[in-house]
Amino acid sequence: MPELQQFKCPCCDGAIEFDSSLQKMKCPFCDTEFEMETLQAYDAELNSQPQEDMSWNTDANTEWQEGETENLRIYTCQTCGGEVVADETTAASECPFCGNPVIMTGQFAGSLKPDLVIPFKVDKKAAIAALQNHYKGKPLLPKVFKDQNHIKEVKGLYVPVWLFDTAADAHVRYRASRIRSWSDSQYHYTETSYYSVTRAGGIAFENVPVDGSTKMEDALMESIEPYNLNDAVDFQTAYLSGYLADKYDVDAETSIERANERIKSSTESAFAATVTGYATVQPVNSNIRLNNGRARYALLPVWILNTMWKGQKFTFAINGQTGKLAGDLPVDKGASRRWLFGIAGAVAAAFVALSYLFWLL
């Protein structure tokens, strides 16, 4: 039995019907009329698009060479199970993730060797100053927190990330509209015209970072971006001297999903920025194909401080290259109530004063 071909309206995506009185195809939802040849050409264009392909080759990672790990030691937290790597001259006494004691378990072994590292540019003194400045001008921050959060215990940590490079070919379709209004002596008129807008082209991505550690929150790590990868150098164990390095526990293959999310979002935003001159623009669908994708393993510098307040952990992260800081602060509920009551009292006083002035007038 032959299949009945059905066309979708390019304007509203509704099913289009043939109108015998017009001898045209007409959308019953938005009343747009189409010639059959136009719809056939449009449908052929949609069907000719290749399938979306966002696959990667993640096999080109470096193995450790013989003798490179001789001076590396691994430390394991007794509380959260976190593992950090340091050179043999670095004393690791507290976990950078939870602040509890760590123990040295022996010689580092396994894992891939990082391809790149961005050395620390912000020193510990500058990191402490950034945290102290972050606390200023926050009247609802508990005073005890500022006094007892062990700010000097901030630690320099290299966080593992996967850097994704790729070229993307994209085809994105939008539903757009223009609105025209006018009036006469009796009525006000509004005419809405709908358009199907297509954008296609190529875009390249370099060094799209994805956090390779489950112990470092993705949102926190992304909030201290960007890093300038022009400062990245080939990894050498000497860069670990005086710092800790987290071992990746999220591999490149697992990180692809997040990389694709970031690439897809950036591609759609870049293409949408070219659709101008319309009252409304809504994306209908997008088709993205990746070419020559590769992933590299890198270590990025972060100053990190974990502190507890009334049983809740607060984590602060500082970009060790730029000094950008992110982290949540606790709120003193007593101070918050006093602050709200103070505002309410001031408003009430102002209202009384204005009422009295009005009565005098």
Side-chain angles (χ1 to χ4, degrees):
M1 179 180 292
E3 293 184 0
L4 180 66
Q5 185 175 13
Q6 186 181 61
F7 295 102
K8 292 286 188 178
C9 176
C11 298
C12 71
D13 225 28
I16 301 177
E17 301 172 349
F18 181 74
D19 190 306
S20 58
S21 62
L22 295 171
Q23 290 296 295
K24 292 181 179 181
M25 300 294 287
K26 183 177 181 180
C27 177
F29 302 98
C30 65
D31 292 330
T32 308
E33 300 171 7
F34 301 93
E35 298 289 348
M36 177 60 77
E37 294 78 7
T38 302
L39 284 179
Q40 288 176 332
Y42 175 74
D43 192 60
E45 180 188 353
L46 293 182
N47 293 331
S48 66
Q49 293 179 21
Q51 293 294 318
E52 185 167 80
D53 181 8
M54 300 191 74
S55 57
W56 294 81
N57 175 18
T58 59
D59 298 330
N61 296 120
T62 309
E63 300 288 344
W64 292 97
Q65 299 299 313
E66 184 177 355
E68 280 190 301
T69 62
E70 287 183 358
N71 296 325
L72 298 182
R73 301 291 181 266
I74 186 167
Y75 297 82
T76 303
C77 176
Q78 300 177 85
T79 303
C80 72
E83 292 182 327
V84 290
V85 180
D87 76 331
E88 60 184 357
T89 65
T90 302
S93 59
E94 291 184 352
C95 176
F97 304 109
C98 68
N100 288 302
V102 298
I103 57 173
M104 188 177 75
T105 60
Q107 181 70 34
F108 170 78
S111 298
L112 294 172
K113 174 185 174 182
D115 298 301
L116 302 170
V117 60
I118 294 182
F120 275 86
K121 283 192 172 183
V122 176
D123 61 18
K124 186 172 184 176
K125 182 178 179 181
I128 291 174
L131 281 166
Q132 291 173 332
N133 186 62
H134 185 58
Y135 296 156
K136 292 180 180 179
K138 296 179 174 60
L140 303 185
L141 182 66
K143 183 178 183 302
V144 177
F145 180 86
K146 289 188 289 187
D147 296 340
Q148 298 182 6
N149 71 342
H150 311 295
I151 193 171
K152 292 185 179 180
E153 294 177 10
V154 61
K155 293 176 176 61
L157 176 72
Y158 282 108
V159 175
V161 299
W162 297 101
L163 301 176
F164 290 87
D165 301 341
T166 190
D169 294 321
H171 187 284
V172 187
R173 186 161 62 93
Y174 305 89
R175 184 181 302 119
S177 69
R178 289 193 179 114
I179 300 174
R180 185 169 69 96
S181 299
W182 70 94
S183 301
D184 59 21
S185 58
Q186 291 185 311
Y187 301 101
H188 179 77
Y189 303 90
T190 299
E191 177 188 75
T192 303
S193 301
Y194 295 94
Y195 302 85
S196 177
V197 182
T198 300
R199 291 291 185 267
I203 186 170
F205 293 90
E206 291 185 351
N207 302 317
V208 177
V210 178
D211 180 11
S213 170
T214 58
K215 299 178 290 295
M216 190 74 175
E217 292 184 13
D218 292 347
L220 183 63
M221 192 64 190
E222 292 177 7
S223 66
I224 60 174
E225 292 177 3
Y227 281 86
N228 182 2
L229 269 296
N230 291 329
D231 291 340
V233 296
D234 292 338
F235 175 80
Q236 296 181 39
T237 56
Y239 289 108
L240 297 184
S241 180
Y243 300 100
L244 303 175
D246 187 14
K247 285 181 63 179
Y248 77 83
D249 55 6
V250 180
D251 61 22
E253 195 70 28
T254 306
S255 300
I256 284 176
E257 182 178 357
R258 178 56 182 153
N260 284 349
E261 288 176 0
R262 303 192 78 175
I263 288 170
K264 189 177 181 71
S265 175
S266 296
T267 299
E268 291 174 348
S269 296
F271 279 44
T274 69
V275 184
T276 59
Y278 298 95
T280 63
V281 176
Q282 294 179 322
V284 177
N285 61 47
S286 64
N287 184 297
I288 299 175
R289 299 169 305 284
L290 304 184
N291 305 302
N292 303 317
R294 66 166 181 167
R296 292 177 294 169
Y297 175 28
L299 297 179
L300 302 186
V302 178
W303 288 102
I304 187 168
L305 174 67
N306 278 287
T307 186
M308 299 295 294
W309 168 253
K310 293 187 176 180
Q312 184 178 356
K313 186 177 79 170
F314 292 88
T315 303
F316 303 91
I318 301 172
N319 185 314
Q321 180 190 43
T322 67
K324 184 178 180 180
L325 183 149
D328 294 328
L329 291 170
V331 174
D332 186 334
K333 293 183 179 179
S336 177
R337 286 193 293 268
R338 291 192 297 272
W339 185 71
L340 290 173
F341 288 149
I343 291 178
V347 171
F351 179 77
V352 170
L354 287 174
S355 299
Y356 180 69
L357 181 62
F358 179 78
W359 182 77
L360 289 177
L361 294 175

